[in-house]
Amino acid sequence: MNAHFHKSIEIFLAVILDFIFKIDNNEYGAIIENSQLMELQVMITILDIAKMANVSRTTVSRVLNNNGYVSNEARERVLKVIKETGYIPSQQAKSLRTKETKVVGVILPKISTETSSKVVSGIDQVLSEHGYQILLAITNLQVEKEIEYLKLLANRQVDGIVLVATNVQQELVEEIQKLRVPFIVIGQNMPGVPSVYYDDYQAAKFLTQTVMNKGKKKIAYIGVHETDQAVGVLRKKGYIDALKENHIPVNEKWIEIGSFRLESGYECMKKIIQNNEDLPEAVFAATDRIAIGAMSYLNEKNIRIPEDMKIVSIGASELSKYSSPKLTTIDYENEKAGKAGAEILYKKMKQESVETDKIVLNYRLIIGNTL
């Protein structure tokens, strides 16, 4: 009984030591995908592949990473064994060796919006070229979720984090500044944090001036709450300052603040029409969705666009292309924002120098039939 116990201990220790040896030598690396071998629950390593192909472990590593010289004959032998065994390199083992997970966390306010999908597309185009995968986290516009996901992704040891931000609250900024992970914000100019953002203030001023250049001075505004610095604060400020610079008084009765929803645009437009005998000649909506909601109400009331009421917005969404009439809007080219943010983040992850960690993106006017 005693001898049997000691023998069991020896076998157990041998297994543990073999496991540790393979981890230390970065050999504990992959699983068999072939269905028959999976049934045997066999674990295969780079060393096993090397023995079966009659090459060194270094040669197998070079073939897998497509890096360094390997003769055609040796490469073919290695690839043949890999194919026959169904060997797939383990990302966990590679992470142990390179200290990289090849995963970047992307925190989004919403997944269903066009802006988010275009930004993510740009991020993915850049990072996938460098072998990275992205892990999405959706906050549904909840600040506490942004902070929660920042901590979660950092603890998951992602190589970098992208935040498509909707606010610049101090609590969020402080959490970001605590991070030891390369980081970039897209969509807001966050103090002390690398940011790629749009010039919302100048775009709003330009759009308001464009309406005034059509001879219209009575311009209403439909916006969103000021928790969103870019859309809620800067676009409204650009509108107001454009009026003031042209010595046009700001009529507070023509300003309505709601949400990003189509319904909000409808309801805000309704309030402006119902609560004013002196009606505006034009409306600046902070987003395309708000504008199209407002247009819906105007159409119901037989207020002609643009003859009776001109309307402009920011976003250049797919929806704006199919509105009737076609919407005049500002295009921020969100995919470019995603690409620019990803390029900065990649350099930071690789500890390369970055010329600037603050990028302001250009905008362009798309003329429709509402102006």
Side-chain angles (χ1 to χ4, degrees), residues 19 21 31 44 63 80 107 127 133 139 145 158 172 183-184 191 255 269 291 313 315 345 365:
F19 176 81
F21 174 81
I31 59 173
I44 194 169
V63 171
K80 184 173 182 290
I107 303 173
L127 294 181
Q133 295 177 314
T139 68
K145 283 286 186 183
V158 294
L172 178 61
F183 190 90
I184 188 82
I255 297 176
M269 190 74 255
S313 66
L345 184 68
L365 180 65

Side-chain angles (χ1 to χ4, degrees), residues 349-368:
M349 290 189 296
K350 293 299 180 182
Q351 298 183 333
E352 297 176 8
S353 61
V354 178
E355 289 183 13
T356 176
D357 58 9
K358 294 282 188 181
I359 294 181
V360 186
L361 296 170
N362 292 325
Y363 54 86
R364 64 191 180 102
L365 180 65
I366 296 178
I367 299 291

Side-chain angles (χ1 to χ4, degrees), residues 96-156:
L96 286 171
R97 183 174 69 255
T98 64
K99 308 300 182 184
E100 292 181 322
T101 62
K102 284 293 183 179
V103 175
V104 169
V106 179
I107 303 173
L108 299 171
K110 288 275 188 181
I111 191 60
S112 57
T113 68
E114 247 183 83
T115 298
S116 291
S117 63
K118 288 179 179 178
V119 170
V120 170
S121 176
I123 293 168
D124 186 57
Q125 285 179 52
V126 172
L127 294 181
S128 62
E129 288 180 2
H130 299 291
Y132 288 87
Q133 295 177 314
I134 58 176
L135 179 64
L136 299 180
I138 316 302
T139 68
N140 289 314
L141 299 171
Q142 299 176 51
V143 179
E144 63 274 13
K145 283 286 186 183
E146 287 181 322
I147 294 172
E148 179 185 331
Y149 285 138
L150 283 174
K151 294 176 179 177
L152 177 64
L153 290 171
N155 289 336
R156 290 287 180 91

Side-chain angles (χ1 to χ4, degrees), residues 2-18:
N2 205 24
H4 178 72
F5 175 79
H6 283 295
K7 186 63 177 175
S8 298
I9 291 294
E10 287 173 9
I11 293 171
F12 175 77
L13 289 174
V15 170
I16 293 297
L17 289 172
D18 181 64

Side-chain angles (χ1 to χ4, degrees), residues 69-337:
Y69 174 76
V70 178
S71 70
N72 290 335
E73 183 186 353
R75 185 181 298 276
E76 287 177 6
R77 289 206 307 273
V78 171
L79 292 175
K80 184 173 182 290
V81 171
I82 289 172
K83 184 178 180 180
E84 289 174 349
T85 59
Y87 174 83
I88 298 175
S90 165
Q91 186 61 48
Q92 290 177 328
K94 191 172 182 181
S95 296
L96 286 171
R97 183 174 69 255
T98 64
K99 308 300 182 184
E100 292 181 322
T101 62
K102 284 293 183 179
V103 175
V104 169
V106 179
I107 303 173
L108 299 171
K110 288 275 188 181
I111 191 60
S112 57
T113 68
E114 247 183 83
T115 298
S116 291
S117 63
K118 288 179 179 178
V119 170
V120 170
S121 176
I123 293 168
D124 186 57
Q125 285 179 52
V126 172
L127 294 181
S128 62
E129 288 180 2
H130 299 291
Y132 288 87
Q133 295 177 314
I134 58 176
L135 179 64
L136 299 180
I138 316 302
T139 68
N140 289 314
L141 299 171
Q142 299 176 51
V143 179
E144 63 274 13
K145 283 286 186 183
E146 287 181 322
I147 294 172
E148 179 185 331
Y149 285 138
L150 283 174
K151 294 176 179 177
L152 177 64
L153 290 171
N155 289 336
R156 290 287 180 91
Q157 297 181 328
V158 294
D159 293 341
I161 299 175
V162 181
L163 171 63
V164 182
T166 59
N167 76 89
V168 291
Q169 293 184 21
Q170 187 59 33
E171 183 183 6
L172 178 61
V173 175
E174 288 174 0
E175 286 297 329
I176 290 170
Q177 290 173 341
K178 292 177 186 176
L179 294 175
R180 296 183 180 180
V181 179
F183 190 90
I184 188 82
V185 168
I186 296 177
Q188 303 278 351
N189 181 13
M190 196 165 285
V193 177
S195 308
V196 174
Y197 58 100
Y198 315 108
D199 198 345
D200 286 280
Y201 174 73
Q202 289 298 337
K205 278 187 72 176
F206 168 76
L207 197 53
T208 308
Q209 185 64 56
T210 300
V211 176
M212 289 188 285
N213 291 345
K214 291 288 186 177
K216 304 302 179 185
K217 297 182 179 180
K218 298 164 66 176
I219 306 170
Y221 178 82
I222 304 176
V224 301
H225 294 288
E226 294 187 355
T227 50
D228 189 313
Q229 176 72 11
V231 182
V233 176
L234 295 178
R235 293 184 192 181
K236 181 181 176 183
K237 181 172 171 52
Y239 154 79
I240 290 172
D241 287 356
L243 294 178
K244 288 181 177 179
E245 288 176 13
N246 285 273
H247 309 290
I248 299 171
V250 177
N251 188 340
E252 294 292 339
K253 292 182 179 180
W254 291 345
I255 297 176
E256 288 291 337
I257 303 301
S259 72
F260 287 89
R261 297 169 62 85
L262 282 164
E263 296 89 337
S264 181
Y266 180 97
E267 292 298 329
C268 287
M269 190 74 255
K270 181 179 180 180
K271 288 179 183 178
I272 291 171
I273 298 299
Q274 290 186 347
N275 297 340
N276 290 281
E277 291 183 7
D278 180 23
L279 295 179
E281 304 167 307
V283 179
F284 175 0
T287 74
D288 287 353
R289 293 181 71 82
I290 293 171
I292 291 168
M295 288 169 65
S296 177
Y297 180 80
L298 294 174
N299 288 330
E300 277 186 17
K301 296 302 175 182
N302 296 315
I303 298 173
R304 297 172 303 164
I305 306 168
E307 293 85 356
D308 302 327
M309 186 82 71
K310 299 186 184 301
I311 187 160
V312 296
S313 66
I314 294 176
S317 64
E318 286 295 315
L319 199 59
S320 70
K321 297 176 184 177
Y322 301 103
S323 65
S324 181
K326 185 178 177 182
L327 189 59
T328 294
T329 182
I330 290 281
D331 183 10
Y332 277 155
E333 299 182 292
N334 295 301
E335 195 169 287
K336 284 187 177 179

